[in-house]
């Protein structure tokens, strides 16, 4: 059974990653950063956590305001450094842990935390700036830990309350402790401390508040959970209010923790902190885990009896992410044109496997569903190649179009999502039935 061994609290200012990449370890301006992080790095090397749950906020790099979520959980297999404008940092990808991430996602949703979920996005300095100084990623084999990133939207108001972040941590603990695999988990909180980077108040810092925050964080997090966004901004700067994210880590730990290390340094714009909190939680009480796991299964209990029904869950989403992504790309005119011109070449260039290419090329609609493709990608492919939704429905049921239409109230209705760029809709002319629709 998984257990949380402790929590790490670290700032994620880009100056940390910059100093590391520029090898400024001996520079007197930057050396205090590295000395402050060294005990944390040593603790992690000794404790050897299997997975780190990294809470961070993206700085409008991979998450933009066309769709901005309060809490977004990364469920993917691998995570790379994002390009923030000057090229991506020279860091190897770090492995994800889709199994634990899926379990956490299902558990938190059951507890009514309405998360969004992401794959295929780069992680910016919010995650990689501290990670690059916490783990030795330059050794053979790369990173010695897997991560589950939890991105928190704190840049566009309204955002969740400080107490909501704290409650999320408490729910995160229940999720981790109910995961059946024997894993050692560390929760990494990033962000802060005091800073403001915009407006006439840019450059604001409040060292006395930073130190008081660290004391309350260890001993009385409930008081911090009561603070409003305005109070946090007044005390620690508008951007410094992101320390709310720390409360998720604190909520995931026992009420009493053992602080093993704390350091603070203010070189320029941001109060940089590093701290280790050892979890003091005892073993789970009999019945806790069983009740929690049972509650997680309630919503889909019985769905397995629905023959021919395949709920699109995290496992299917991760497995078919590349193929779903390719088919989603058909909403772009240039991608459609290239696909129509030479679909095999386009699929090979996209890195699809031989099996994925076969499924698409043969229009194996049922096989695509079994593989993990969501139906709404099938209707996009159908619109591009001139196959109606009804042809796809019939093929999935193993019926001819004629037999399937006999089951409909309007047997003559054929349609698709095709728009003005669809080209010839061959199925509009009965004598020109599209090829391969029987598969």
């Amino acid at each position: 059974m998984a257990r949380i061994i402790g929590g790490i609290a670290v700032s994620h200012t880009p100056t940390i990653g910059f100093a590391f990449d520029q090898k400024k370890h001996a520079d007197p301006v930057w050396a205090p950063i590295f000395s402050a992080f060294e005990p944390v790095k040593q603790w992690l090397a000794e404790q050897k956590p299997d997975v780190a749950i990294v809470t961070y906020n993206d700085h409008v790099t991979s998450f933009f305001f066309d769709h901005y979520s309060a809490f977004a959980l990364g469920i993917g297999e691998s995570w790379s450094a994002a390009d923030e404008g000057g090229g991506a940092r020279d860091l190897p990808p770090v492995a994800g842990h889709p199994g634990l991430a899926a379990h956490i996602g299902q558990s938190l949703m059951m507890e009514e935390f309405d998360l969004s979920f992401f794959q295929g996005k780069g992680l910016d300095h919010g995650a990689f700036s501290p990670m690059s100084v916490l783990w030795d990623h330059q050794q053979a084999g790369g990173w010695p830990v897997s991560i589950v990133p939890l991105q928190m939207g704190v840049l566009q108001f309204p955002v969740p309350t400080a107490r909501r972040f704290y409650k999320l941590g408490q729910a995160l603990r229940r999720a981790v402790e109910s995961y059946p695999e024997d894993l050692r988990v560390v929760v990494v909180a990033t962000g802060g401390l005091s800073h403001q980077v915009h407006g006439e108040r840019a450059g604001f810092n409040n060292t006395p508040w930073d130190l008081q925050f660290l004391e309350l964080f260890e001993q009385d997090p409930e008081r911090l959970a009561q603070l409003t966004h305005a109070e946090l901004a007044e005390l620690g700067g508008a951007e410094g209010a992101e320390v709310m994210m720390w409360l998720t880590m604190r909520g995931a730990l026992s009420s009493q923790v053992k602080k093993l290390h704390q350091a603070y340094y203010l070189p320029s714009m941001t109060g940089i902190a590093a701290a280790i909190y050892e979890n003091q939680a005892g073993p789970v009480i009999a019945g806790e885990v069983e009740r929690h796991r049972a509650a997680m299964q309630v919503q889909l209990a019985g769905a397995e009896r629905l023959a021919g029904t395949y709920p699109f869950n995290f496992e299917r989403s991760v497995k078919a992410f590349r193929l779903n992504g390719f088919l989603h790309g058909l909403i772009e005119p240039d991608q459609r044109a290239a696909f129509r011109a030479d679909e095999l070449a386009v699929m090979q260039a996209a890195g699809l496997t031989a099996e994925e290419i076969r499924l698409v090329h043969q229009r194996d609609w049922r096989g695509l569903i079994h593989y993990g493709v969501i139906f709404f990608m099938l209707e996009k492919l159908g619109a591009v190649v001139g196959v109606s939704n009804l042809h796809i429905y019939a093929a999935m049921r193993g019926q001819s179009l004629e037999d399937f239409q006999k089951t409909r109230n309007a047997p003559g209705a054929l349609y698709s999502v095709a728009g003005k760029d669809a080209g010839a809709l061959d199925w509009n002319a009965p004598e020109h039935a599209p090829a391969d629709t029987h598969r």
Side-chain angles (χ1 to χ4, degrees):
M1 191 157 50
R3 65 187 183 94
I4 297 173
I5 60 173
I8 301 296
V10 289
S11 300
H12 66 211
T13 170
T15 56
I16 298 171
F18 173 83
F20 180 88
D21 293 345
Q22 298 299 316
K23 298 179 173 56
K24 294 183 177 293
H25 300 68
D27 188 312
V29 173
W30 303 107
I33 295 177
F34 297 104
S35 61
F37 277 86
E38 189 59 32
V40 186
K41 184 176 181 179
Q42 290 178 2
W43 184 83
L44 289 168
E46 293 167 0
Q47 295 297 319
K48 295 181 172 58
D50 301 295
V51 184
I53 300 171
V54 181
T55 70
Y56 78 106
N57 67 286
D58 175 89
H59 299 80
V60 202
T61 303
S62 296
F63 294 82
F64 190 62
F65 302 121
D66 55 347
H67 186 162
Y68 198 69
S69 300
F71 301 119
L73 183 70
I75 61 172
E77 296 178 319
S78 180
W79 304 102
S80 298
D83 186 337
E84 301 185 56
R89 293 180 63 198
D90 188 18
L91 298 171
V94 58
H97 198 296
L100 178 60
H103 182 87
I104 290 172
Q106 184 178 357
S107 179
L108 293 180
M109 291 290 277
M110 180 272 294
E111 297 213 41
E112 300 183 352
F113 285 91
D114 299 327
L115 280 70
S116 64
F117 304 94
F118 68 97
Q119 304 178 64
K121 292 182 179 293
L123 308 184
D124 77 355
H125 71 265
F128 271 115
S129 190
M131 283 180 56
S132 61
V133 296
L134 293 180
W135 281 280
D136 185 2
H137 56 278
Q138 298 173 322
Q139 61 184 343
W143 300 89
V145 68
S146 300
I147 69 167
V148 174
L150 178 54
Q151 198 282 140
M152 299 175 157
V154 298
L155 302 183
Q156 176 178 267
F157 290 94
V159 301
T161 64
R163 182 162 299 282
R164 189 65 171 165
F165 284 92
Y166 189 52
K167 288 182 176 180
L168 177 64
Q170 294 171 324
L172 182 61
R173 173 180 173 179
R174 292 187 287 271
V176 171
E177 291 181 343
S178 62
Y179 188 64
E181 187 178 345
D182 185 18
L183 294 176
R184 292 169 61 81
V185 178
V186 62
V187 184
V188 181
T190 74
L193 293 177
S194 68
H195 66 290
Q196 183 159 325
V197 297
H198 81 272
E200 290 78 6
R201 203 181 181 217
F204 173 84
N205 297 107
N206 187 348
T207 295
W209 163 243
D210 287 343
L211 299 178
Q212 184 182 7
F213 173 86
L214 290 168
E215 179 182 358
L216 291 170
F217 183 79
E218 175 194 357
Q219 300 179 5
D220 196 1
E222 277 286 339
R223 289 188 65 188
L224 296 176
Q226 298 174 26
L227 295 178
T228 67
H229 301 147
E231 289 169 336
L232 286 165
E234 179 181 4
L235 290 165
E239 283 73 35
E242 69 188 7
V243 291
M244 290 185 295
M245 298 187 297
W246 287 35
L247 289 173
T248 296
M249 179 269 276
R250 187 64 182 87
L253 304 182
S254 51
S255 58
Q256 300 296 318
V257 294
K258 183 178 181 180
K259 184 174 69 177
L260 302 180
H261 169 70
Q262 177 179 305
Y264 176 83
Y265 179 52
L266 177 57
S268 180
M269 291 289 290
T270 304
I272 299 176
I276 306 170
Y277 302 96
E278 194 170 68
N279 199 15
Q280 300 293 292
V284 295
I285 301 171
E288 283 182 326
V289 169
E290 288 77 9
R291 286 195 304 273
H292 190 82
R293 289 175 180 167
M296 288 175 59
Q297 303 304 320
V298 166
Q299 295 302 321
L300 280 177
E304 69 280 0
R305 299 194 301 269
L306 305 176
T309 301
Y310 312 96
F312 190 73
N313 57 17
F314 293 123
E315 182 180 3
R316 295 171 67 80
S317 180
V318 172
K319 175 189 175 184
F321 179 68
R322 178 181 52 247
L323 181 52
N324 276 310
F326 173 80
L327 295 173
H328 183 260
L330 296 176
I331 67 174
E332 299 294 337
D334 290 346
Q335 181 79 347
R336 284 198 296 273
F339 182 82
R340 287 172 176 150
D342 190 343
E343 64 179 68
L344 288 177
V346 170
M347 288 191 286
Q348 290 170 349
L352 299 191
T353 66
E355 180 183 9
E356 292 167 342
I357 291 173
R358 179 192 64 79
L359 289 169
V360 175
H361 187 59
Q362 294 184 357
R363 313 294 188 253
D364 187 351
W365 308 110
R366 182 190 288 184
L368 285 163
I369 288 291
H370 289 174
Y371 186 81
V373 174
I374 194 167
F375 168 77
F376 306 102
M377 298 302 108
L378 302 191
E379 67 177 1
K380 290 173 174 56
L381 175 61
V384 171
V385 300
V387 175
S388 79
N389 281 33
L390 277 293
H391 285 90
I392 298 172
Y393 301 145
M396 286 192 295
R397 284 167 58 125
Q399 294 179 308
S400 68
L401 176 64
E402 181 181 12
D403 287 342
F404 178 67
Q405 285 185 305
K406 291 177 181 178
T407 70
R408 304 299 95 191
N409 292 329
L414 292 179
Y415 61 86
S416 81
V417 294
K420 63 182 181 181
D421 192 34
L425 299 179
D426 291 343
W427 43 267
N428 271 334
E431 68 272 17
H432 295 113
D436 293 324
T437 58
H438 62 283
R439 288 188 172 89

